[in-house]
Amino acid sequence: MKQPKILISGAGIAGLALAIRLDIAGIDYVIVEKKDRMRTNTSGIALPFNAVKLLEHFGCRDVVLEQAHQVKKITYSKPNGKILASSNLNEYPFNDEVFVALTRSKLLDALASNVQKNIHYGTVIENATQKGSTIHVSFSDNEINDEFDLLISAEGINSLLRQQAFPEEETIVDYGMTNWRFIARSPCHGINPIYMLGRTDLFMMYPISTDELYCYAHIYDPKKIYTTESKSLENLKLIFQHYANGVPQLLTTLSNEDIVTGRLKSVTRSYLNKGNVIFIGDAGNACSPLLQQGAAGAFEDVMCLSDVLATTPISEVAEAYKLRREEKNTWVLNTSDAPLKKIKATQSFLGSMLRNTMVRKLGPLNVHGWKKLAEDSFS
């Protein structure tokens, strides 16, 4: 079977993971990244059991686990601290599984350690033209212009390649929610992850070390009242001033520069390929962080694509990849985004009460989803 030549656009989690697998398989590739250095930000990342399981395929499981913080319990509560539901992550079906969290930068560094020398930083695709069965690509760095059998978009939710491949579609949906992410110092906090649910506001504290918490917060904000970055800290203090578990005190340790402000967005459906352009990770399947499947989904996309490349003629790879990933990616996208589609209803007392009743019945919603992932099989 002829060895393909592959272009990877984007050196985030998905792109780096694919580069590792292509190196292992001895497949020729070029990887480009528009930023001029490794991505860094003030964000954490949670790796549920299925993401941790796959780390061994990228040669960095031990390194990641050494730098990560293991979590063993998830709690959902009201803003006043009254517990709605808790789940023990050491019980069935997670008896032998590991759930961890760490800074996103540490995960990227671990993935990049063996492939960083191959990354063309500060490089963008200027033109990609189909020529027969190959794609001729020109870059901002003319020296690497070439023809490729497959073009892999690992560019994240704002993938330009996806937008160009589906010009007739609006590929991103904004659910009308402003969010904030930051890492806060909290020495010897001794907590496990807790999600505090207001009506349309939420505050999450997720430990990434014994002294640090990755925090995520959002509020339904269709009119974009709270999107001004220079007022991020002011808005957080205003919205979450009555929250329990030390949230107001935690916010006093921050500055605006510590906070990443954004909008909660997803792709409108699962995008897997258009011809021999393939989408992996958030480029094709970005969704709500409810199930924390960003890294896990990227790893699964990469492992599937690696397997297909090893067993399928290059002309059939894209369609074979789509066939194998579509069901699960669609399920994750729909399940993760389902609560967002009901957010307007929780503005009312009755709507939020019904949601809380569901949480009491099912348990923490992310754990409920993880159990489905652990127990169900996908084609």
Side-chain angles (χ1 to χ4, degrees):
M1 190 181 300
K2 174 182 175 290
Q3 284 283 21
K5 185 167 186 177
I6 294 175
L7 169 61
I8 306 170
S9 179
I13 292 171
L16 294 171
L18 181 58
I20 292 169
R21 294 304 302 174
L22 295 181
D23 267 349
I24 291 171
I27 295 175
D28 190 20
Y29 70 91
V30 170
I31 179 169
V32 298
E33 167 56 48
K34 66 180 181 180
K35 295 187 178 180
D36 58 10
R37 60 185 183 279
M38 180 59 63
R39 304 176 188 185
T40 58
N41 55 44
T42 56
S43 180
I45 186 167
L47 301 180
F49 73 100
N50 54 340
V52 176
K53 273 184 176 181
L54 291 171
L55 284 171
E56 62 185 83
H57 295 287
F58 307 104
C60 61
R61 177 186 167 94
D62 290 344
V63 172
V64 170
L65 292 185
E66 285 171 6
Q67 300 183 76
H69 183 81
Q70 185 174 355
V71 300
K72 300 181 180 180
K73 183 181 179 181
I74 300 287
T75 298
Y76 277 33
S77 79
K78 292 182 176 181
N80 63 9
K82 184 177 180 180
I83 293 176
L84 294 169
S86 292
S87 287
N88 186 339
L89 298 177
N90 291 325
E91 297 177 348
Y92 177 85
F94 309 124
N95 309 63
D96 301 316
E97 309 295 356
V98 178
F99 293 74
V100 302
L102 70 165
T103 64
R104 184 175 292 268
S105 296
K106 287 180 179 177
L107 177 60
L108 287 170
D109 287 343
L111 289 168
S113 60
N114 292 324
V115 298
Q116 189 157 346
K117 63 183 182 298
N118 299 329
I119 302 171
H120 296 269
Y121 286 107
T123 303
V124 297
I125 297 172
E126 293 192 334
N127 186 55
T129 306
Q130 189 80 34
K131 290 188 174 181
S133 61
T134 61
I135 304 174
H136 181 80
V137 183
S138 58
F139 302 89
S140 53
D141 177 2
N142 292 330
E143 293 185 2
I144 59 172
N145 291 353
D146 208 341
E147 290 188 352
F148 299 89
D149 296 289
L150 294 173
L151 199 169
I152 313 298
S153 171
E155 303 162 315
I157 188 171
N158 294 312
S159 168
L160 183 59
L161 287 171
R162 187 191 65 246
Q163 295 171 39
Q164 292 172 341
F166 300 93
E168 71 286 358
E169 296 185 35
E170 179 54 65
T171 64
I172 296 177
V173 56
D174 183 330
Y175 282 104
M177 305 183 73
T178 297
N179 61 19
W180 301 270
R181 293 171 287 132
F182 58 88
I183 293 173
R185 289 281 299 169
S186 182
C188 304
H189 53 73
I191 72 169
N192 272 293
I194 183 165
Y195 295 72
M196 291 162 274
L197 311 181
R199 288 194 181 178
T200 67
D201 44 283
L202 171 148
F203 197 100
M204 177 201 79
M205 295 192 294
Y206 215 102
I208 56 174
S209 76
T210 55
D211 298 315
E212 293 175 301
L213 296 170
Y214 168 50
C215 298
Y216 168 88
H218 71 224
I219 188 169
Y220 185 55
D221 182 26
K223 296 183 179 180
K224 301 185 178 180
I225 296 170
Y226 300 111
T227 57
T228 305
E229 292 186 4
S230 62
K231 293 186 177 182
S232 293
L233 184 55
E234 177 184 335
N235 289 330
L236 282 167
K237 288 180 176 180
L238 175 66
I239 297 165
F240 300 101
Q241 60 183 309
H242 300 302
Y243 270 55
N245 297 301
V247 170
Q249 293 76 16
L250 194 71
L251 295 175
T252 64
T253 68
L254 302 175
S255 67
N256 276 321
E257 290 69 31
D258 299 320
I259 304 164
V260 177
T261 302
R263 298 284 285 179
L264 192 50
K265 299 178 181 180
S266 298
V267 292
T268 54
R269 63 177 177 86
S270 178
Y271 294 90
L272 291 160
N273 81 294
K274 184 67 175 287
N276 49 358
V277 179
I278 292 175
F279 305 95
I280 61 174
D282 282 353
N285 300 287
C287 56
S288 152
L290 173 68
L291 297 182
Q292 296 164 342
Q293 289 298 293
F299 293 158
E300 290 177 0
D301 285 348
V302 166
M303 292 306 299
C304 175
L305 183 54
S306 300
D307 291 345
V308 170
L309 281 165
T311 58
T312 309
I314 193 64
S315 61
E316 301 173 14
V317 164
E319 286 300 321
Y321 166 75
K322 178 180 179 179
L323 183 63
R324 288 178 55 175
R325 288 298 290 158
E326 190 162 33
E327 180 186 1
K328 185 169 186 180
N329 282 358
T330 298
W331 183 89
V332 170
L333 177 63
N334 291 341
T335 303
S336 297
D337 285 1
L340 303 184
K341 298 174 182 178
K342 302 174 182 176
I343 195 68
K344 289 182 181 179
T346 61
Q347 292 178 99
S348 70
F349 172 76
L350 178 60
S352 61
M353 185 179 69
L354 289 173
R355 180 206 57 202
N356 291 349
T357 299
M358 181 177 67
V359 171
R360 291 189 184 98
K361 179 181 178 180
L362 299 178
L365 299 182
N366 50 358
V367 180
H368 181 70
W370 293 336
K371 287 178 179 178
K372 293 286 289 182
L373 287 170
E375 295 171 347
D376 289 3
S377 61
F378 295 85
S379 60

